[in-house]
Amino acid sequence: MVDVLVRRETIADRPRAASVSVRRDRGSQVLRWTRGHLGLAISGVVLVIAVGWAVAPSVFASGDPLIGVPAQKFQAPGAAHWFGTDNLGRDLYTRMVHGAGLSLTATLTAVGIALVVGSVLGLLSGAAGGLVDTAIMRVVDVLLSIPSLLLALALVTALGFGTRNVAVAVGVSLIANFARVMRSEALRVRHAPYVEAAHASGVRWYAVLVRHVLPNAFQPVLALAAVEFGMAVLAVSSLSFLGYGTKPPTPEWGSLISEGRNFLASAWWLTTLPGLVIVAVVLSAQRLGRFVGRTGTR
């Protein structure tokens, strides 16, 4: 009788032990993945914080970015002011947080313009071929022959000042990269058996592009968008640094560095800390973009 009870208890404990073992295995797998992708996890955290700054700046910094206390000017970074204060006593961390909205909005607009226009041009070029392909690619070659920052600078000079014009200029300068990648993917996919079967069954050419070619050619373009997001942050900040962005005293990442360069000898934090934030966002975006690209090619 005792042996029977012991066996019943042992059988009843087996599901519990199995569930505990499964949880331990899952926990160990998560821990191993985190250790192997520590840089990737840090990149994700950096981008989440940057997006949080842009979406809800008052949550991260409740102060007014335009009002300062003259008696507290040029205070070094500390507990009261994480990034220090500028020449007017304004909290630099607050200005960085509230400037993320304009900078990242311009960046997303630029990447969106380049993604949509470049993908359409590359898709038409790769799918049509012939004279259409030649004409589109020659225009793309011309755009690729000009450094993107120089092209953006020329465009924003023609369009005028303002964050919106900066976003358009940066977006146009990035179109050629997306067109090239999409064209190469469209050339790879258009001769696939399912695409030829769709053509043979009488499906219209534009329906074949939308239903079959585009979904199977878009993964590398999305990875490129993540990588180019970092470069667009750098380009938008560079144009803002040169004075083509929003007008002072509205904060913007590039203009904050520009304002602090006159005090570099006495207040290093005015340029160094905003620059480090931009570098962190750029590197994080490129790290995630490369990871998405590697995942998509497996």
Side-chain angles (χ1 to χ4, degrees), residues 50-51 53-55 95-111 162-164 166-167 170 229-241 245-246 250-257 274 277-278 281:
V51 172
W53 285 4
V55 174
R95 289 177 62 77
M96 281 295 299
V97 171
H98 286 265
L102 282 176
S103 297
L104 295 184
T105 299
T107 300
L108 289 174
T109 303
V111 174
T163 306
R164 182 181 302 175
V166 167
V170 174
F229 177 85
M231 300 306 298
V233 170
L234 194 59
V236 168
S237 300
S238 299
L239 294 178
S240 175
F241 175 85
T246 186
T250 304
E252 201 173 20
W253 285 358
S255 62
L256 290 177
I257 299 177
V277 170
I278 294 174
V281 172

Side-chain angles (χ1 to χ4, degrees), residues 14-75:
R14 286 178 182 176
R16 298 178 184 177
S19 62
V20 172
S21 178
V22 169
R23 292 177 183 176
R24 289 178 179 175
D25 291 340
R26 291 178 180 176
S28 61
Q29 290 177 0
V30 171
L31 184 59
R32 285 196 300 269
W33 189 93
T34 303
R35 289 177 178 176
H37 299 81
L38 182 60
L40 186 66
I42 294 175
S43 300
V45 171
V46 170
L47 291 181
V48 168
I49 292 175
V51 172
W53 285 4
V55 174
S58 58
V59 175
F60 294 88
S62 58
D64 192 334
L66 304 180
I67 298 177
V69 181
Q72 299 179 359
K73 65 180 181 180
F74 292 131
Q75 287 194 1

Side-chain angles (χ1 to χ4, degrees), residues 251-271:
E252 201 173 20
W253 285 358
S255 62
L256 290 177
I257 299 177
S258 179
E259 292 173 1
R261 62 180 173 174
N262 297 325
F263 311 99
L264 186 59
S266 58
W268 56 269
W269 56 88
L270 295 181
T271 54

